Amino acid sequence: MEEHDKFKSQIRSIYRLLTTLMVLFGITALAVVYLISDPTLSFFKEPTPVEEYAVVPSEDDFDKIENGIHVRTGFKDSEGLMAVVNNCTNCHSAQLVIQNRMNAERWKATILWMQETQNLWDLGKNEDIIVNYLVTNYPPQKKGRREILRDISWYDLKE
Ligand code: HEC
């Protein structure tokens, strides 16, 4: 009987040891997972105050021109720039305007199309200013993707 009790208590202590190991392992695993998701332990630190209004550019930066480009929109700086910025960037990005190169007639037709179908307002006196700006700065591109090859000196392929 004594043998049996001894055996029982041995089993119990092994069991306790295993349980302790499992608990330690669990805690370590949790710590590792936490460290992976928050390596700087920022959860335990005072949050750094976020500066309010940090993203709103100052009045000067808002219409800044850099290297002849209106930074906020990407339009070229030229006569009529602000009329274009104020009327043509409300619904879509300036890029949509810039990447379309047309002559005056087609610019007018595009504006008319937007007025008839997209709720673009009457541009009044600004229309001429805007069309003038667009043809001056974004005229149709005469050249295609590359010039036609001319005066090519072909060479014979040797075997
Ligand atoms: C009231 C909203 C609005 C305003 C303001 C506006 N547009 Fe548009 N425009 C649109 C819509 C909507 C489309 C279609 C967009 C699309 O296809 O994703 C469009 C498309 C265009 C296109 C592409 C046309 C095509 O054939 O793909 C050009 C170029 C364009 N606009 C130029 C201008 C210019 C220049 C002005 C300033 C005079 C202007 N837009 C102002 C609504 C507007």
Side-chain angles (χ1 to χ4, degrees):
M1 215 48 205
E2 223 173 80
E3 275 294 302
H4 184 73
D5 279 350
K6 209 172 161 196
F7 180 70
K8 250 178 141 181
S9 84
Q10 266 172 351
I11 291 285
R12 216 173 283 137
S13 58
I14 288 172
Y15 181 75
R16 228 176 283 137
L17 188 69
L18 278 179
T19 319
T20 317
L21 281 176
M22 287 298 277
V23 169
L24 281 176
F25 178 78
I27 290 171
T28 317
L30 278 177
V32 167
V33 167
Y34 179 78
L35 274 177
I36 288 169
S37 66
D38 184 16
T40 58
L41 296 177
S42 61
F43 182 75
F44 299 104
K45 291 176 193 155
E46 284 276 304
T48 37
V50 180
E51 229 179 282
E52 272 180 85
Y53 312 117
V55 284
V56 177
S58 74
E59 202 93 349
D60 292 341
D61 286 351
F62 199 59
D63 282 321
K64 193 162 72 174
I65 307 284
E66 226 173 62
N67 303 321
I69 297 291
H70 184 247
V71 177
R72 178 158 57 90
T73 57
F75 279 129
K76 290 182 195 164
D77 181 27
S78 166
E79 203 186 322
L81 168 70
M82 284 329 285
V84 175
V85 169
N86 292 334
N87 288 287
C88 305
T89 58
N90 319 62
C91 306
H92 46 66
S93 90
Q95 287 308 314
L96 187 66
V97 181
I98 292 170
Q99 74 199 11
N100 277 276
R101 296 172 150 268
M102 313 184 209
N103 58 25
E105 225 165 69
R106 288 197 44 222
W107 275 120
K108 278 187 193 156
T110 305
I111 289 173
L112 190 66
W113 169 78
M114 281 181 287
Q115 284 168 333
E116 281 171 353
T117 61
Q118 311 296 341
N119 283 331
L120 173 61
W121 44 86
D122 182 21
L123 295 167
K125 274 187 292 174
N126 276 333
E127 178 157 340
D128 284 343
I129 298 172
I130 290 170
V131 170
N132 191 39
Y133 170 92
L134 293 169
V135 229
T136 310
N137 295 287
Y138 305 105
Q141 271 164 323
K142 292 187 190 71
K143 287 175 186 168
R145 290 160 75 85
R146 64 159 169 77
E147 284 188 83
I148 296 164
L149 298 174
R150 248 169 270 165
D151 304 328
I152 309 157
S153 52
W154 298 100
Y155 58 90
D156 292 323
L157 286 176
K158 296 192 181 83
E159 287 293 310

